[in-house]
Amino acid sequence: MKQKTPFETHQAPPVAKLLGWKLIEIDLPNRTIELEFEATNDFLNPSGHVQGGILCAMLDDTLGPAVFAATDFKQQGRTIDLHTHFVRPAFPGKIRGKGKVTRLGKTVAFMEGQLFDPDEKLIARATGSAMLFDFKT
């Protein structure tokens, strides 16, 4: 029987609920994670697109769980920096997040992530780093 991850056994934080966060897949050997978000009309800017800050939050909420999984659920990351590049507008509906830990040090993790629309077109990408700290339940 497969052991459940903390993503399945702990209550999601409020921001994850707000963003419609849903775990799709974790690949521990490759330090990757795939998620899904639900962009609502409440996330739209005046031009009718998902506001950039919301997309940054989705990227941050992709990369953080990637770090948590990459440390075998022993450490979490506090974002130090997040560099985001917006490629195309996002609209309400499903947004897929893919994150990867590219380097895992003793105190800092380096990450990269992307957001995709339902047609698998790239919406935004980001690189970042996070300070590691022990996970406490």
Side-chain angles (χ1 to χ4, degrees):
M1 182 178 197
K2 182 184 165 212
Q3 185 176 353
K4 290 188 175 190
T5 69
F7 297 125
E8 298 161 304
T9 60
H10 289 75
Q11 186 173 352
V15 70
K17 291 178 184 177
L18 176 71
L19 296 173
W21 191 100
K22 178 182 171 190
L23 178 66
I24 303 297
E25 181 179 10
I26 298 173
D27 182 343
L28 292 175
N30 290 310
R31 297 181 178 162
T32 63
I33 195 166
E34 192 168 339
L35 309 166
E36 187 176 85
F37 298 97
E38 183 67 36
T40 69
N41 288 335
D42 291 334
F43 298 168
L44 301 183
N45 62 24
S47 65
H49 303 120
V50 177
Q51 198 266 346
I54 297 292
L55 295 173
C56 287
M58 289 177 179
L59 284 161
D60 196 39
D61 221 19
T62 298
L63 299 177
V67 169
F68 188 43
T71 64
D72 200 25
F73 310 102
K74 292 183 174 95
Q75 293 182 302
Q76 292 180 297
R78 288 188 180 112
T79 303
I80 297 169
D81 65 332
L82 185 67
H83 304 273
T84 305
H85 302 270
F86 301 101
V87 178
R88 70 175 26 87
F91 299 93
K94 304 282 185 212
I95 294 179
R96 179 80 43 130
K98 296 180 182 181
K100 179 176 181 67
V101 174
T102 57
R103 183 164 180 226
L104 188 60
K106 291 181 182 179
T107 59
V108 176
F110 297 89
M111 316 150 300
E112 60 186 29
Q114 303 89 29
L115 296 177
F116 297 90
D117 70 13
D119 296 324
E120 288 297 315
K121 291 182 181 173
L122 182 65
I123 296 169
R125 58 188 164 90
T127 57
S129 60
M131 181 175 39
L132 298 173
F133 66 99
D134 291 340
F135 173 66
K136 304 222 187 308
T137 57

